Amino acid sequence: MIKNTFILFQEKKEESRGSVEFQVFSFTNKIRRLTSHLELHRKDYLSQRGLRKILGKRQRLLAYLSKKNRVRYKDLINQLNIRELKTR
């Protein structure tokens, strides 16, 4: 599924690499890679720090996107499976 979303982002023009969606997508890939690395190397504190920094950057970008365009935010969250959806 991750590869499919990457292909969807690659199909867009080169100009879209600065978009919030592409940045969140690349941060999500880095987070998943670092998480799998830290499962093996629990005491790698520099990687833990890098992971926390990337999580903060992604969180700020998602907060910005949710303020500016709620529809794009929800589409991105659903596409990347980042957050659990609340069912009422």
Side-chain angles (χ1 to χ4, degrees):
M1 181 170 162
I2 295 171
K3 290 182 182 179
N4 291 340
T5 56
F6 185 70
I7 291 170
L8 291 175
F9 278 112
Q10 288 296 326
E11 289 175 357
K12 294 182 180 180
K13 294 181 181 177
E14 294 289 327
E15 301 166 359
S16 70
R17 290 190 177 189
S19 69
V20 176
E21 289 91 350
F22 188 82
Q23 290 179 35
V24 170
F25 172 74
S26 63
F27 285 146
T28 303
N29 284 339
K30 287 180 185 180
I31 288 167
R32 289 181 178 149
R33 257 185 313 182
L34 278 173
T35 304
S36 65
H37 169 76
L38 288 171
E39 288 175 355
L40 296 174
H41 308 283
R42 293 186 187 272
K43 294 193 175 188
D44 188 356
Y45 299 114
L46 290 176
S47 293
Q48 288 178 12
R49 181 175 184 262
L51 177 63
R52 284 192 301 268
K53 288 182 79 160
I54 293 171
L55 282 169
K57 287 181 184 179
R58 185 179 76 175
Q59 184 179 10
R60 286 190 299 272
L61 280 173
L62 286 172
Y64 168 78
L65 188 61
S66 70
K67 287 178 196 173
K68 293 294 179 182
N69 193 340
R70 195 72 171 169
V71 174
R72 283 174 49 196
Y73 169 78
K74 287 184 180 182
D75 289 342
L76 184 64
I77 294 299
N78 291 334
Q79 190 176 13
L80 296 177
N81 291 329
I82 296 176
R83 293 194 170 74
E84 296 288 327
L85 293 177
K86 295 180 183 177
T87 56
R88 293 183 184 188

